[in-house]
Amino acid sequence: MVTTRKPLRAAIIGLGRLGERHARHLVNKIQGVKLVAACALDSNQLEWAKNELGVETTYTNYKDMIDTENIDAIFIVAPTPFHPEMTIYAMNAGLNVFCEKPLGLDFNEVDEMAKVIKSHPNQIFQSGFMRRYDDSYRYAKKIVDNGDIGKIIYMRGYGIDPISGMESFTKFATEADSGGIFVDMNIHDIDLIRWFTGQDPVQAYGLTSNIAAPQLADIGEFETGVAQLKMSDGVIATLIGGRHAAHGNQVELEVMGSNGWVRIGEHPDLNRVTVFNDQGVVRPSLQSFGERFDTAFTDEVQDFVNNVIVGKQPEVTVDDGIKALKIAKACQQSANIGKLVDIQL
Amino acid sequence: MVTTRKPLRAAIIGLGRLGERHARHLVNKIQGVKLVAACALDSNQLEWAKNELGVETTYTNYKDMIDTENIDAIFIVAPTPFHPEMTIYAMNAGLNVFCEKPLGLDFNEVDEMAKVIKSHPNQIFQSGFMRRYDDSYRYAKKIVDNGDIGKIIYMRGYGIDPISGMESFTKFATEADSGGIFVDMNIHDIDLIRWFTGQDPVQAYGLTSNIAAPQLADIGEFETGVAQLKMSDGVIATLIGGRHAAHGNQVELEVMGSNGWVRIGEHPDLNRVTVFNDQGVVRPSLQSFGERFDTAFTDEVQDFVNNVIVGKQPEVTVDDGIKALKIAKACQQSANIGKLVDIQL
Amino acid sequence: MVTTRKPLRAAIIGLGRLGERHARHLVNKIQGVKLVAACALDSNQLEWAKNELGVETTYTNYKDMIDTENIDAIFIVAPTPFHPEMTIYAMNAGLNVFCEKPLGLDFNEVDEMAKVIKSHPNQIFQSGFMRRYDDSYRYAKKIVDNGDIGKIIYMRGYGIDPISGMESFTKFATEADSGGIFVDMNIHDIDLIRWFTGQDPVQAYGLTSNIAAPQLADIGEFETGVAQLKMSDGVIATLIGGRHAAHGNQVELEVMGSNGWVRIGEHPDLNRVTVFNDQGVVRPSLQSFGERFDTAFTDEVQDFVNNVIVGKQPEVTVDDGIKALKIAKACQQSANIGKLVDIQL
Amino acid sequence: MVTTRKPLRAAIIGLGRLGERHARHLVNKIQGVKLVAACALDSNQLEWAKNELGVETTYTNYKDMIDTENIDAIFIVAPTPFHPEMTIYAMNAGLNVFCEKPLGLDFNEVDEMAKVIKSHPNQIFQSGFMRRYDDSYRYAKKIVDNGDIGKIIYMRGYGIDPISGMESFTKFATEADSGGIFVDMNIHDIDLIRWFTGQDPVQAYGLTSNIAAPQLADIGEFETGVAQLKMSDGVIATLIGGRHAAHGNQVELEVMGSNGWVRIGEHPDLNRVTVFNDQGVVRPSLQSFGERFDTAFTDEVQDFVNNVIVGKQPEVTVDDGIKALKIAKACQQSANIGKLVDIQL
């Protein structure tokens, strides 16, 4: 719908892989918003934002940006440990906040963050669970909600990165705390399992390994994590996170119902091309979640902008983010201590 | 790249199924352009353009629009028979023209259209062969151009609409000349076969039938058309056009090479969901070319806008459009007369 | 069902690739028959039959074998040009005859063969259209016969050998007349198209090429053949024969109906394994029709044996074989003369 | 290879669904064996064996059969609880024994059975882990053993019956002890996981549910069971057993390696037919493990016969059977007590 309203004025913190994507979308694809400022530590990234995107002002200190700029909304795409303090500062400055997942890594900080968010009920806070915006998940959700597959019995979520990303992950995880394999790779599936079932997990059995990447032990990381969850009303779930896929980016979710199943992303098809070659019949695979979820990333940001314009809080709340984080941490804890872990949300 | 340049001012003729899509894209997705005027016969469509898209002025007479508005470019999405006169009028008015495929139905008109276009070499003329912009076709083209599948031996193109569209087609074809099954359904594949092989067909054997829709005989249409083409340098091709697909919109292209094959769109997957139900393992199908090619439609229009901005003629020329039309017509003629038809381009 | 009847006594002529398969099946899998003699020119093959299969007597002259042995039935798996004379000799000797497809290559000989067969109505004559025994074709036939996909509009049959077989084909075609690409590769699909539609083709447009194997020109062969057929009651069909497939043995049949389609053998899956590797998601392919149709080969021979035991002529008659041969030859003739060919059956 | 040796004389105990299959194979497909006697409680089954298979003598008491008949080998396809006593009786009678899986349900009985088997090292004892004979598993095993997918990280095995079988299962489980969901549905996958990895599980976390079939609670059964296993050398595994599949018989095994993955039976394709109908693109599914593994059932029995003839013990030992049983029981125990269970083999 057309409004004569001026576009929202927005700024972004972080221009890494995902920050760059959001910035490009904000300039080229999202309606009703103008990206006026960007903050990053890397001067090349800031140059890019100025020259390629036409962002007017750039900063290396996010507080300066928030203090100086006349903005309505801020996009936080900085490393996870900074999410809480940035969100708190921005909320207290009266801004609407879009913050990438996960909310943070330290529960005290995240709890404080949630308290501040809830104390500003008229400002929109939205976190980056973009999969809820993806056409395939939404289609599957509708099938489930229609009762077409009966009652949910079991769910299985795979978040497995291509092995080609190992080097960049190692660099990233050496410099910052990734949160561990379950936080880093399974938090979306945890959110989706809660979304599909309407149930929370009550018990977790996590196991981890470094068979595919022994070198990760040096930086306290695990290449693969597997967890089995008992949900509050009887559903059972399996989560697998990993970084070893030879073929590409395997983001697969299965919902087993009493009258049918759905699988989303059974194969990470790159496009609609099938190749017949000396290996057999081949479907090339996607290599990155960015390619996979480009439209969902756009749609979630558009939704945030629309929410800000009409003053509507999003479906996914900060509490959803906290619960997903606690569940991922419980899986990790179980693996660490070698015992079942009861989950209190 | 950022320019401080003002957006192109554009108008559109036609707000039917495809016109509406282009208009939405121009307003919401395409960078560097502003849709300032729209022309249509249906007042509801014009209301929609005003209210939903914010188009400033609307017309029912396209000449008035061209004469009145201060515009740089025009998008012609009217019924095919009007393409030539509209293009001629717009070119003579100094406009850059984007015209949907096919160029027209009458060769005299189309030849005149081409003459006018060529007499304005500084204005951009681009026709709507959007499949050349589709990721999957481009990926396949690259595989072929790399020599990964050797030399092309054979190509097969299916353009088969879902049977659910039969009613609207019958209405459309009753009111206007569709051009016949090959023109209406295979012109894109004809263009793609020329694009992939670099060869032109020299002989066609066309056959048509109304087994699936005998009622089409009443309006001089055929439901299915099949043609075998002999290409100038030995490639063989099969075209199938139809309107009877029970499952959805089958737009499939096969390229058989001496060292491998590719198939694009072997199944018209709706999304990434696989359903396991009492029928077996099911992939739901796309129902419309609009869904299938939404991104390609956006990208071709963005490319046109970019071409206009930098003054670059597109890869696909008016002659490509004329050749595709002649080939489609030759297939139809062969079916009509029951003989092989030699093709002169 | 159990009978106390003695097994049929059978002999085989030809122990090449397919003859070896039939011989093994007769000894190991087929009930109610005993393979007592074998005839071949290659002494290694005869040794193998003696030592591995326990065949009692071997011959290098088929007439000697027929004259000498006390047998009920004979399996003719010799090169095609010998099929007529061998069948005639065996029928005249009072034997039941199973003869591999095609019946022959010379129409005069084949007509004489048919005359002799028909003059012995109490002896079983069965030709090797084994695909009619394959589970997948039978399943598809049932779907079609049930009316589940409406009326047939179009059929497409691919018979394309893996390129790995090129050397052995070249050797074979240098020594003997293959009958040409359509006879050698498409005769099964021709039979299936007649079987599925109940219609005969009335016109053919054939095209051939050697793009993938120019060297075949030296022995008067074509690597690829494509033909479009007009069937007697409006169905249209496309046949493709070839020898260039990089991935494996592509034996694919499509039946397009007014209310649904079926494809048999869309991909030549080797087994139930899917491999995820650096190429993407891969299904390995079958390399030979022998693997693909092993069960069908067994079932057709078992059916022949059962037919002999109960004195029942098979569904597929010698006339079906002659018609398939004439249609294949018409496709070849069309390609040779560059014109449409009318088919008289 | 041909031998002049007389066929083995064999008898069978049990002519239910699987017993009937083995009996038919023994008569019609297996070389080197003659089925001379059968034992069952159901007189119709015995009539069938006599009339259809030509089995000479039938019994209702297996001991009578063993005492009376002059036989070399016996096939035990009776309900699981009888396996130990029958095996013990047959081994002590000097017979070679083929016994269906699982070995039994009571560990004391199974231990006694193993002791007796080991005390007759010159008699062949083989249990029915037929999946090791299936082409697809063998192909996958070869890929893994070649190192083509690197080191194994994770395995996932699904054994989920079609819901159409619920009624017959309920009847069966009411009359006899099924062993529970993990014993009944996952014992093959347990064997395969040990076979592929060469590792034994050391810890299990099992969960069960009756969401899809609450009525099973009345007979002490669970419809679905899920277990996560920690293997001795770091591999992680997930087992799912169930009886609710709407589409068919899902027997799927995934092997995730550090350099690639394989999935066996990702979809339970019925045959090579793809159907395009108003649901989309559909692959019909297999409904029974009998169809799925018919060839494997034949091949394992042929292997047993060959082993008996040459006096070679099979690759799978009675200890493999006992371990698989213990692991399945541990999964069940974990679900029963709601705790992790350490596995001692």
Side-chain angles (χ1 to χ4, degrees):
Chain A
M1 211 181 54
V2 174
T3 68
T4 52
R5 176 183 200 303
K6 280 200 201 155
L8 290 185
R9 294 175 62 82
I12 192 166
I13 311 174
L15 292 170
R17 194 162 54 151
L18 186 50
E20 178 193 322
R21 184 174 297 268
H22 280 313
R24 268 193 286 104
H25 287 178
L26 283 165
V27 172
N28 293 329
K29 295 192 172 173
I30 311 294
Q31 305 295 314
V33 68
K34 183 171 161 64
L35 183 66
V36 297
C39 173
L41 297 180
D42 180 332
S43 58
N44 289 327
Q45 291 175 348
L46 294 176
E47 279 303 294
W48 169 84
K50 269 199 167 162
N51 297 338
E52 296 295 316
L53 298 185
V55 171
E56 293 160 8
T57 333
T58 61
Y59 295 83
T60 54
N61 180 309
Y62 79 90
K63 292 183 183 176
D64 287 352
M65 183 168 73
I66 290 174
D67 295 347
T68 311
E69 293 287 330
N70 171 25
I71 50 178
D72 305 297
I74 194 151
F75 292 83
I76 299 173
V77 206
T80 303
F82 298 98
H83 291 178
E85 66 162 79
M86 289 173 171
T87 298
I88 290 168
Y89 197 85
M91 291 300 291
N92 285 334
L95 301 185
N96 298 285
V97 175
F98 179 95
C99 179
E100 262 310 316
K101 68 93 209 172
L103 296 179
L105 296 178
D106 179 286
F107 282 127
N108 290 332
E109 293 174 12
V110 170
D111 283 343
E112 176 63 19
M113 176 185 184
K115 205 181 302 171
V116 172
I117 290 167
K118 288 175 185 173
S119 69
H120 296 86
N122 296 326
Q123 292 161 239
I124 306 303
F125 175 82
Q126 189 165 331
S127 65
F129 283 122
M130 82 292 179
R131 290 197 199 167
R132 294 198 185 197
Y133 292 88
D134 176 70
D135 277 356
S136 295
Y137 290 103
R138 293 173 87 89
Y139 183 87
K141 183 66 159 52
K142 210 169 143 189
I143 287 176
V144 171
D145 290 350
N146 281 351
D148 293 350
I149 64 165
K151 291 184 182 171
I152 298 179
I153 297 169
Y154 173 76
M155 289 188 68
R156 169 173 60 89
Y158 281 16
I160 305 180
D161 268 353
I163 200 159
S164 56
M166 184 63 83
E167 196 176 344
S168 87
F169 168 75
T170 307
K171 185 167 174 296
F172 159 68
T174 303
E175 294 166 359
D177 182 355
S178 79
I181 184 75
F182 295 106
V183 171
D184 200 40
M185 297 304 297
N186 293 114
I187 203 145
H188 288 296
D189 283 323
I190 291 169
D191 179 60
L192 293 171
I193 288 169
R194 293 184 63 247
W195 191 47
F196 272 85
T197 62
Q199 298 179 30
D200 282 318
V202 295
Q203 200 172 57
Y205 178 51
L207 292 169
T208 51
S209 85
N210 269 328
I211 294 170
Q215 73 277 16
L216 288 184
D218 300 341
I219 54 170
E221 288 281 349
F222 291 99
E223 182 280 314
T224 286
V226 180
Q228 182 168 309
L229 299 174
K230 179 181 176 180
M231 305 293 288
S232 53
D233 210 15
V235 170
I236 306 165
T238 300
L239 296 173
I240 304 191
R243 314 184 183 286
H244 66 265
H247 62 294
N249 183 255
Q250 184 82 14
V251 173
E252 180 182 1
L253 185 71
E254 178 173 46
V255 190
M256 221 178 251
S258 56
N259 195 34
W261 306 352
V262 292
R263 287 182 179 175
I264 305 119
E266 202 178 34
H267 299 163
D269 297 332
L270 176 61
N271 50 36
R272 294 178 183 276
V273 176
T274 308
V275 179
F276 298 65
N277 65 20
D278 58 6
Q279 297 238 338
V281 179
V282 183
R283 292 297 300 265
S285 294
L286 283 163
Q287 295 302 313
S288 81
F289 70 89
E291 288 174 274
R292 169 65 183 88
F293 290 108
D294 188 69
T295 303
F297 279 123
T298 309
D299 291 348
E300 69 164 358
V301 171
Q302 184 68 65
D303 185 55
F304 169 70
V305 168
N306 295 347
N307 286 336
V308 171
I309 291 172
V310 303
K312 176 174 156 286
Q313 292 292 346
E315 188 190 52
V316 192
T317 66
V318 62
D319 286 340
D320 288 320
I322 291 176
K323 287 179 180 176
L325 185 61
K326 284 188 175 163
I327 296 161
K329 289 277 197 184
C331 295
Q332 185 67 59
Q333 191 199 356
S334 171
N336 292 348
I337 64 176
K339 294 187 178 166
L340 285 182
V341 167
D342 291 328
I343 303 175
Q344 312 288 346
L345 295 180
Chain B
M1 211 180 52
V2 175
T3 69
T4 53
R5 171 180 205 304
K6 279 200 202 155
L8 289 186
R9 293 176 60 84
I12 192 167
I13 311 175
L15 292 171
R17 194 162 54 151
L18 187 50
E20 178 193 323
R21 185 174 297 269
H22 280 313
R24 268 192 287 105
H25 287 177
L26 283 166
V27 171
N28 294 329
K29 295 191 171 174
I30 311 293
Q31 306 294 315
V33 68
K34 183 172 162 62
L35 184 66
V36 297
C39 173
L41 297 179
D42 181 330
S43 59
N44 290 328
Q45 292 176 346
L46 294 176
E47 280 303 296
W48 169 84
K50 269 199 165 161
N51 297 339
E52 296 296 316
L53 299 186
V55 171
E56 293 160 8
T57 334
T58 62
Y59 295 83
T60 54
N61 179 311
Y62 79 89
K63 292 184 183 176
D64 286 353
M65 183 167 73
I66 291 175
D67 294 348
T68 310
E69 293 287 329
N70 171 25
I71 51 178
D72 304 298
I74 195 152
F75 292 84
I76 299 174
V77 205
T80 303
F82 298 98
H83 291 178
E85 66 162 80
M86 290 173 171
T87 298
I88 290 168
Y89 196 85
M91 292 300 291
N92 284 334
L95 300 185
N96 297 285
V97 175
F98 180 94
C99 179
E100 262 309 317
K101 69 91 209 172
L103 296 179
L105 297 177
D106 179 286
F107 282 127
N108 290 332
E109 293 175 12
V110 170
D111 282 344
E112 177 63 20
M113 177 185 184
K115 207 181 301 169
V116 172
I117 289 167
K118 290 175 183 172
S119 70
H120 296 88
N122 296 327
Q123 292 161 237
I124 305 303
F125 175 83
Q126 190 165 330
S127 63
F129 284 122
M130 82 291 180
R131 290 197 201 166
R132 294 198 186 197
Y133 293 88
D134 175 70
D135 276 356
S136 296
Y137 290 103
R138 292 173 88 90
Y139 183 86
K141 181 69 159 52
K142 211 168 143 190
I143 288 175
V144 171
D145 290 351
N146 281 352
D148 292 349
I149 63 164
K151 292 184 182 170
I152 299 179
I153 297 169
Y154 173 77
M155 288 188 68
R156 170 173 61 89
Y158 281 16
I160 305 180
D161 267 354
I163 200 160
S164 57
M166 184 62 83
E167 196 175 344
S168 86
F169 169 74
T170 307
K171 184 168 175 297
F172 159 68
T174 304
E175 293 166 358
D177 183 354
S178 78
I181 184 75
F182 295 106
V183 171
D184 201 40
M185 296 303 297
N186 294 113
I187 203 146
H188 288 295
D189 283 323
I190 292 169
D191 179 59
L192 292 171
I193 290 170
R194 293 184 63 246
W195 191 46
F196 271 85
T197 62
Q199 298 179 31
D200 283 317
V202 295
Q203 198 170 59
Y205 177 50
L207 291 168
T208 50
S209 86
N210 269 329
I211 293 171
Q215 73 277 15
L216 288 185
D218 299 341
I219 54 170
E221 287 282 348
F222 291 98
E223 181 281 313
T224 287
V226 180
Q228 182 169 309
L229 298 174
K230 180 181 175 180
M231 306 292 288
S232 52
D233 209 16
V235 169
I236 306 166
T238 300
L239 295 173
I240 304 192
R243 313 184 184 288
H244 65 265
H247 63 293
N249 183 254
Q250 184 84 13
V251 173
E252 180 181 1
L253 185 71
E254 178 173 47
V255 190
M256 220 178 252
S258 56
N259 195 34
W261 306 352
V262 292
R263 287 181 179 176
I264 305 120
E266 203 178 33
H267 298 165
D269 296 333
L270 176 61
N271 50 37
R272 293 178 184 275
V273 176
T274 307
V275 180
F276 297 65
N277 64 21
D278 59 6
Q279 297 239 338
V281 180
V282 182
R283 291 298 298 265
S285 293
L286 282 164
Q287 295 302 314
S288 81
F289 70 88
E291 287 173 274
R292 168 67 182 87
F293 290 109
D294 189 69
T295 303
F297 279 123
T298 309
D299 291 348
E300 69 165 356
V301 171
Q302 185 66 65
D303 185 55
F304 170 70
V305 167
N306 296 348
N307 286 336
V308 170
I309 291 172
V310 303
K312 174 173 158 288
Q313 291 293 345
E315 187 190 53
V316 191
T317 66
V318 63
D319 287 341
D320 289 319
I322 291 176
K323 286 180 179 176
L325 184 62
K326 284 189 174 163
I327 295 162
K329 289 277 197 186
C331 295
Q332 186 66 59
Q333 190 200 356
S334 171
N336 292 348
I337 64 176
K339 294 185 179 166
L340 286 181
V341 166
D342 291 329
I343 301 175
Q344 312 288 345
L345 297 180
Chain C
M1 210 182 53
V2 176
T3 67
T4 52
R5 171 179 205 305
K6 279 201 203 156
L8 290 186
R9 295 176 61 83
I12 192 166
I13 312 175
L15 292 170
R17 194 162 54 150
L18 186 50
E20 177 192 325
R21 184 173 299 267
H22 280 312
R24 268 193 286 105
H25 287 177
L26 283 165
V27 172
N28 293 330
K29 296 192 172 176
I30 311 293
Q31 306 294 316
V33 67
K34 182 172 162 63
L35 184 66
V36 296
C39 173
L41 297 179
D42 181 331
S43 58
N44 289 327
Q45 292 175 346
L46 294 176
E47 280 302 296
W48 168 83
K50 269 199 165 162
N51 297 338
E52 296 295 317
L53 298 186
V55 171
E56 293 159 7
T57 333
T58 61
Y59 294 83
T60 53
N61 180 310
Y62 79 90
K63 292 184 183 176
D64 286 352
M65 181 167 73
I66 290 173
D67 295 348
T68 310
E69 294 287 328
N70 170 25
I71 51 179
D72 304 296
I74 195 151
F75 293 83
I76 300 174
V77 206
T80 304
F82 298 99
H83 292 177
E85 66 162 81
M86 289 173 172
T87 297
I88 290 168
Y89 197 85
M91 292 299 291
N92 284 335
L95 301 184
N96 298 286
V97 175
F98 179 95
C99 180
E100 262 310 316
K101 69 91 209 171
L103 297 180
L105 297 177
D106 179 286
F107 282 126
N108 290 331
E109 293 175 12
V110 170
D111 283 343
E112 177 63 20
M113 176 185 185
K115 206 181 303 170
V116 173
I117 289 166
K118 289 175 185 174
S119 71
H120 296 87
N122 295 327
Q123 293 160 240
I124 305 302
F125 174 82
Q126 190 165 331
S127 65
F129 284 121
M130 83 291 181
R131 290 197 200 166
R132 293 198 185 198
Y133 293 88
D134 175 70
D135 277 354
S136 295
Y137 290 102
R138 292 175 88 90
Y139 183 86
K141 183 66 160 51
K142 209 168 145 189
I143 287 175
V144 170
D145 289 350
N146 281 351
D148 293 348
I149 63 165
K151 290 183 183 172
I152 298 179
I153 297 169
Y154 173 76
M155 288 188 69
R156 170 174 61 90
Y158 281 16
I160 305 181
D161 268 354
I163 201 160
S164 56
M166 183 63 81
E167 196 175 345
S168 88
F169 169 74
T170 307
K171 184 167 175 294
F172 158 68
T174 304
E175 292 166 0
D177 183 355
S178 78
I181 184 74
F182 295 106
V183 170
D184 200 40
M185 297 304 297
N186 294 113
I187 203 144
H188 287 296
D189 283 322
I190 292 169
D191 179 59
L192 293 172
I193 289 169
R194 292 184 64 245
W195 192 46
F196 271 84
T197 63
Q199 298 179 30
D200 281 318
V202 295
Q203 199 171 55
Y205 177 51
L207 292 168
T208 49
S209 84
N210 269 329
I211 293 170
Q215 73 278 15
L216 288 184
D218 300 342
I219 55 170
E221 287 282 347
F222 291 98
E223 181 280 313
T224 287
V226 180
Q228 183 169 310
L229 298 174
K230 180 181 175 180
M231 305 293 287
S232 53
D233 210 14
V235 170
I236 307 166
T238 301
L239 296 173
I240 304 191
R243 314 184 184 285
H244 66 266
H247 63 293
N249 184 255
Q250 183 84 14
V251 173
E252 180 182 2
L253 185 70
E254 178 173 47
V255 189
M256 221 179 252
S258 57
N259 195 35
W261 306 351
V262 291
R263 287 182 178 175
I264 305 119
E266 203 178 32
H267 299 165
D269 296 334
L270 176 61
N271 51 36
R272 294 178 182 274
V273 176
T274 308
V275 180
F276 297 65
N277 65 19
D278 59 7
Q279 297 240 337
V281 179
V282 182
R283 292 295 301 266
S285 295
L286 283 164
Q287 295 303 313
S288 83
F289 70 88
E291 287 173 274
R292 167 65 183 88
F293 290 109
D294 188 69
T295 303
F297 278 123
T298 309
D299 291 348
E300 69 165 357
V301 171
Q302 184 66 66
D303 184 57
F304 170 71
V305 168
N306 295 348
N307 286 336
V308 170
I309 290 172
V310 303
K312 176 175 156 288
Q313 292 292 345
E315 187 191 52
V316 192
T317 67
V318 63
D319 287 340
D320 289 318
I322 291 176
K323 286 179 180 178
L325 185 62
K326 283 188 175 165
I327 296 161
K329 288 278 197 185
C331 296
Q332 185 66 59
Q333 190 199 356
S334 171
N336 292 348
I337 65 177
K339 295 186 179 165
L340 286 182
V341 166
D342 292 328
I343 302 175
Q344 313 286 348
L345 295 179
Chain D
M1 211 182 53
V2 175
T3 67
T4 52
R5 173 180 202 305
K6 278 201 203 158
L8 291 185
R9 294 177 60 84
I12 191 165
I13 311 174
L15 292 170
R17 195 162 54 151
L18 185 51
E20 178 192 324
R21 184 174 299 268
H22 281 313
R24 268 192 287 104
H25 288 177
L26 283 166
V27 171
N28 293 330
K29 296 191 172 176
I30 311 293
Q31 306 295 315
V33 67
K34 183 171 163 63
L35 184 67
V36 296
C39 173
L41 296 179
D42 181 332
S43 59
N44 289 328
Q45 291 175 347
L46 294 176
E47 279 302 296
W48 169 84
K50 268 199 166 161
N51 297 338
E52 295 296 316
L53 299 185
V55 171
E56 292 160 9
T57 333
T58 62
Y59 295 83
T60 54
N61 180 312
Y62 79 89
K63 292 184 182 175
D64 286 353
M65 183 167 73
I66 290 174
D67 295 348
T68 311
E69 294 288 327
N70 170 24
I71 51 179
D72 305 297
I74 196 153
F75 292 85
I76 299 174
V77 205
T80 304
F82 299 98
H83 291 178
E85 67 162 79
M86 289 173 172
T87 298
I88 290 168
Y89 197 86
M91 291 300 291
N92 285 334
L95 300 185
N96 297 285
V97 175
F98 179 95
C99 180
E100 262 309 316
K101 68 92 207 172
L103 296 180
L105 297 177
D106 179 286
F107 283 127
N108 289 332
E109 292 175 13
V110 170
D111 282 343
E112 176 64 20
M113 176 186 184
K115 206 181 302 170
V116 172
I117 290 167
K118 290 175 185 174
S119 70
H120 296 86
N122 296 326
Q123 292 161 239
I124 306 302
F125 174 83
Q126 190 164 331
S127 65
F129 284 121
M130 83 291 180
R131 291 197 199 166
R132 294 197 184 199
Y133 292 88
D134 175 70
D135 277 354
S136 296
Y137 290 103
R138 293 173 87 90
Y139 183 86
K141 182 66 159 53
K142 209 168 144 189
I143 287 175
V144 171
D145 290 351
N146 281 352
D148 292 349
I149 63 166
K151 290 183 183 171
I152 298 179
I153 298 169
Y154 173 76
M155 288 189 69
R156 170 174 59 90
Y158 282 16
I160 305 181
D161 267 353
I163 199 159
S164 56
M166 183 63 82
E167 197 175 343
S168 86
F169 169 75
T170 307
K171 185 168 174 294
F172 159 69
T174 304
E175 293 166 359
D177 183 355
S178 78
I181 184 74
F182 295 106
V183 171
D184 200 41
M185 296 305 297
N186 293 114
I187 204 146
H188 288 295
D189 283 323
I190 291 168
D191 179 59
L192 292 171
I193 289 169
R194 292 184 63 248
W195 191 46
F196 271 85
T197 63
Q199 298 179 30
D200 282 318
V202 294
Q203 199 171 56
Y205 177 50
L207 292 167
T208 50
S209 85
N210 269 328
I211 294 170
Q215 73 276 14
L216 288 185
D218 299 342
I219 55 170
E221 286 283 346
F222 291 97
E223 181 280 314
T224 287
V226 180
Q228 182 168 310
L229 299 174
K230 179 180 176 180
M231 305 293 288
S232 53
D233 209 16
V235 169
I236 307 165
T238 300
L239 296 173
I240 304 191
R243 314 185 183 285
H244 66 266
H247 63 293
N249 184 255
Q250 184 83 13
V251 173
E252 181 182 1
L253 186 71
E254 178 173 46
V255 189
M256 222 178 251
S258 57
N259 196 34
W261 305 352
V262 292
R263 287 182 179 175
I264 306 118
E266 202 178 31
H267 299 165
D269 296 334
L270 177 61
N271 51 35
R272 293 178 183 274
V273 176
T274 308
V275 179
F276 297 65
N277 66 20
D278 58 6
Q279 297 238 340
V281 179
V282 183
R283 292 296 301 264
S285 293
L286 283 165
Q287 295 303 314
S288 81
F289 70 88
E291 287 174 274
R292 167 68 181 86
F293 290 109
D294 189 68
T295 303
F297 279 122
T298 310
D299 291 348
E300 69 165 357
V301 171
Q302 184 66 65
D303 185 56
F304 169 71
V305 168
N306 296 347
N307 286 336
V308 171
I309 290 173
V310 303
K312 174 174 158 288
Q313 292 293 344
E315 186 190 53
V316 192
T317 67
V318 63
D319 287 339
D320 290 318
I322 291 176
K323 287 179 180 177
L325 185 62
K326 284 189 174 162
I327 296 162
K329 289 276 196 186
C331 295
Q332 186 67 59
Q333 190 200 356
S334 170
N336 292 348
I337 63 176
K339 294 187 180 165
L340 286 182
V341 167
D342 290 328
I343 302 174
Q344 312 287 348
L345 296 179

